[in-house]
Amino acid sequence: MTTILWLKALHISFMVAWFAGIFYLPRLFVYHAESQQKDCQSQFKIMERRLLLFVTPWAILTLVFGVALIMAYGSEWFAASKWLHIKITLVGLLYAYHGYCFKLLNDFKHDRNTKSPRFYRLFNEAPVLILFAVVILAVVKPI
């Protein structure tokens, strides 16, 4: 049981670190999309790239420890945990979101952004909603 608790603690810790970046990066995109000054845009490009590269290992480690947890609990537990299947689907959407951030970063890098600050404000809300659902599934296990 001690191993499972360590795996949970690491999984949650890396998830929190990942989400700190996932919440802040789209906010930088908002400011970047609003900016008209080239020097500010250059600074945003640096900040966005560094932030995304900084949080990507946390995303990977979240996945590693999540998979390790599933393996520690075993295949019977996994098969019986319907809530976990929904959680995994939602987490898959978060990884797609994270990947899409690389595309948006590349658009900004090459001055090809076509999206409005409003788009990025709405884009910033998606992981919050998914996080609420994932936490409820993991803690309450309603299904």
Side-chain angles (χ1 to χ4, degrees), residues 39-111:
D39 58 333
C40 286
Q41 291 175 355
S42 295
Q43 186 63 40
F44 283 126
K45 288 177 186 180
I46 292 167
M47 293 169 65
E48 292 157 357
R49 182 180 58 81
R50 286 182 180 170
L51 180 60
L52 190 54
L53 293 178
F54 178 76
V55 300
T56 296
W58 308 141
I60 293 166
L61 289 168
T62 300
L63 179 63
V64 166
F65 286 103
V67 170
L69 265 171
I70 291 169
M71 291 172 55
Y73 274 109
S75 59
E76 288 182 29
W77 172 83
F78 178 73
S81 300
K82 293 178 182 164
W83 64 269
L84 182 59
H85 297 189
I86 297 167
K87 177 189 170 193
I88 290 170
T89 301
L90 292 171
V91 169
L93 291 173
L94 288 171
Y95 281 99
Y97 180 97
H98 188 106
Y100 187 62
C101 285
F102 277 99
K103 186 250 187 257
L104 296 172
L105 180 80
N106 195 49
D107 288 347
F108 277 116
K109 176 182 176 182
H110 294 100
D111 298 319

